[in-house]
Amino acid sequence: MAVLGRWRLVLLWLWPCLAASPKTPNVEVTENQGYAAGQSGEYFRYKHMFYKKPTEEDFENAQKVAQEVRCPVCVHLLRSLLSRARSYSEDDIADVLEGNTDYERTGDAVEDQMLKHKKGCNKHFKDDLVAEGFMLRPCKEVAPEIKNDTSPCLWQSPEKPSKQAVDTYEVWKEGVFYACEQSISHHTDALSEALAERLRGQRDVNLTEVAQQACQKVAKCESVKKAKEAKPPPAGAGSTSQAPKKGKGSKKEL
Ligand SMILES: *[C@@H]1O[C@H](CO)[C@@H](O)[C@H](O)[C@H]1NC(C)=O
Ligand SMILES: *[C@@H]1O[C@H](CO)[C@@H](O)[C@H](O)[C@H]1NC(C)=O
C-alpha cells in the first residue's frame, strides 16, 4: 500500500515521536532518574522519559541527526535569537545566544530541575524549534527540491505540540539540541563579535542571510569533523553540555 510505504519513511525518523504520543502509557516522569541516574543531559532536558534509558546507540543516532541538520538548525535559531536581541551590540547578542533566564520555582521538583538547566541550547532547541512545531521529516517529503532522499529535513508543522510533548525525550530532539550546541553554543563568543561587527549601524538587514553566513563561516556548521569529535558524555559529567567552551573559534569577517 502506498500509504504504508510513506509511513515507513516517516517512521524511520519519527518513531520516537510516535512512541511518545500521550496515548502510549510507555512514558514516565523522571521522578527518580532526574537525580539518581542524572548522568547526562537527557535527564534535565526533559520531564518525561521512556522506561528504557537512552542508550549509546540513541546518542550516536542523535549525533547523526545533528550532523544532517546542523546548518538549518543554526540558521533558524540564530535568526530567531537575533530578532529578539535588545540591540546588535556584542553584549546584547551574546545575551540572547547564552539565553540565561531565571524561572520562578514551580514547586514541582522535576520541572524545577529542568528549568534550572534551561539556558543556552537547552532552552533554544525547545522554545524556538520544538515548541514552535518544528520537527524532522524525510527531505523527499518536505523539501525534495533541496534533497530528494530520506535524510532528515527540518520542517515546521502548522500545529504546535503540547507542553507534555515538548518535554518528552525523543532521539530526534537530542539531534536538534546537539546541532544547536555544536554550532551556536560552541561559537558564542566568535558569533557575537562577528555579528555585532556585521550588523553595526544596519537597518532592514535580512537576518536570514546574515544568519546563513554566520552559521557557515563562524559556526562552521558544514564541518563534518564535529560529528566525529563527539563522544557520549561520561558518567557523572552531567554538566558538560550546558557549559559550552568559550573562546573557541577565531574572529571571522562576515
Ligand atoms: C524525487 O525523486 C523521485 C523518485 O526518484 C522523482 O519521481 C521525483 O520527480 C524527484 N523529485 C524532485 C523534486 O527531484
Ligand atoms: C532574505 O534572504 C533569504 C535567503 O537569501 C531569502 O530567501 C528571503 O526572501 C529574503 N527575505 C527578504 C525579505 O528579502
Side-chain angles (χ1 to χ4, degrees):
M1 263 198 295
V3 172
L4 266 184
R6 198 169 73 90
W7 273 103
R8 213 171 299 128
L9 293 171
V10 177
L11 283 172
L12 214 64
W13 286 106
L14 293 186
W15 69 265
C17 175
L18 296 174
S21 99
K23 287 179 209 95
T24 315
N26 193 23
V27 177
E28 68 170 348
V29 174
T30 53
E31 210 78 60
N32 304 311
Q33 294 174 333
Y35 305 102
Q39 79 272 44
S40 67
E42 293 94 316
Y43 294 100
F44 52 71
R45 273 195 285 284
Y46 308 95
K47 259 183 97 167
H48 314 284
M49 304 287 283
F50 298 106
Y51 281 109
K52 178 178 89 67
K53 283 188 187 178
T55 61
E56 196 158 316
E57 196 187 348
D58 293 331
F59 177 82
E60 276 157 20
N61 284 332
Q63 293 301 325
K64 278 185 213 147
V65 170
Q67 164 73 19
E68 302 257 16
V69 298
R70 199 187 300 122
C71 284
V73 164
C74 177
V75 171
H76 177 82
L77 287 177
L78 202 51
R79 191 197 56 74
S80 172
L81 293 168
L82 281 173
S83 72
R84 291 205 301 271
R86 268 191 307 263
S87 81
Y88 294 147
S89 73
E90 191 174 335
D91 281 352
D92 283 342
I93 293 174
D95 269 357
V96 282
L97 298 192
E98 282 162 8
N100 287 321
T101 309
D102 289 324
Y103 301 92
E104 298 226 345
R105 293 181 68 88
T106 64
D108 174 330
V110 178
E111 175 98 8
D112 285 340
Q113 173 82 350
M114 186 178 73
L115 291 177
K116 198 173 121 203
H117 294 93
K118 198 177 170 198
K119 53 184 98 160
C121 283
N122 278 328
K123 172 176 176 4
H124 304 326
F125 90 103
K126 262 195 200 175
D127 287 0
D128 288 81
L129 287 170
V130 179
E132 289 297 316
F134 280 90
M135 54 176 70
L136 302 181
R137 295 275 301 270
C139 291
K140 62 190 279 185
E141 287 182 13
V142 295
E145 67 289 350
I146 293 171
K147 243 182 163 187
N148 200 5
D149 62 21
T150 55
S151 55
C153 269
L154 195 62
W155 176 77
Q156 187 171 23
S157 158
E159 280 162 39
K160 295 192 180 172
S162 67
K163 177 162 171 16
Q164 159 144 350
V166 171
D167 288 335
T168 299
Y169 169 86
E170 294 173 72
V171 172
W172 71 268
K173 289 181 192 161
E174 285 290 281
V176 170
F177 163 76
Y178 285 114
C180 172
E181 193 183 52
Q182 292 162 5
S183 54
I184 292 180
S185 286
H186 286 179
H187 302 89
T188 295
D189 290 353
L191 282 169
S192 308
E193 191 179 346
L195 287 165
E197 189 138 310
R198 168 73 177 80
L199 294 167
R200 181 175 299 145
Q202 298 275 327
R203 306 227 165 261
D204 301 329
V205 277
N206 184 331
L207 287 182
T208 305
E209 258 168 29
V210 170
Q212 278 170 349
Q213 288 162 4
C215 285
Q216 279 173 13
K217 293 188 188 160
V218 185
K220 302 191 181 67
C221 67
E222 284 167 340
S223 156
V224 175
K225 224 171 91 213
K226 288 177 199 263
K228 295 202 181 122
E229 281 169 0
K231 293 206 176 64
S239 61
T240 48
S241 54
Q242 44 128 12
K245 287 192 198 77
K246 289 290 191 71
K248 254 173 103 187
S250 53
K251 190 183 162 198
K252 284 276 175 322
E253 296 289 327
L254 284 179

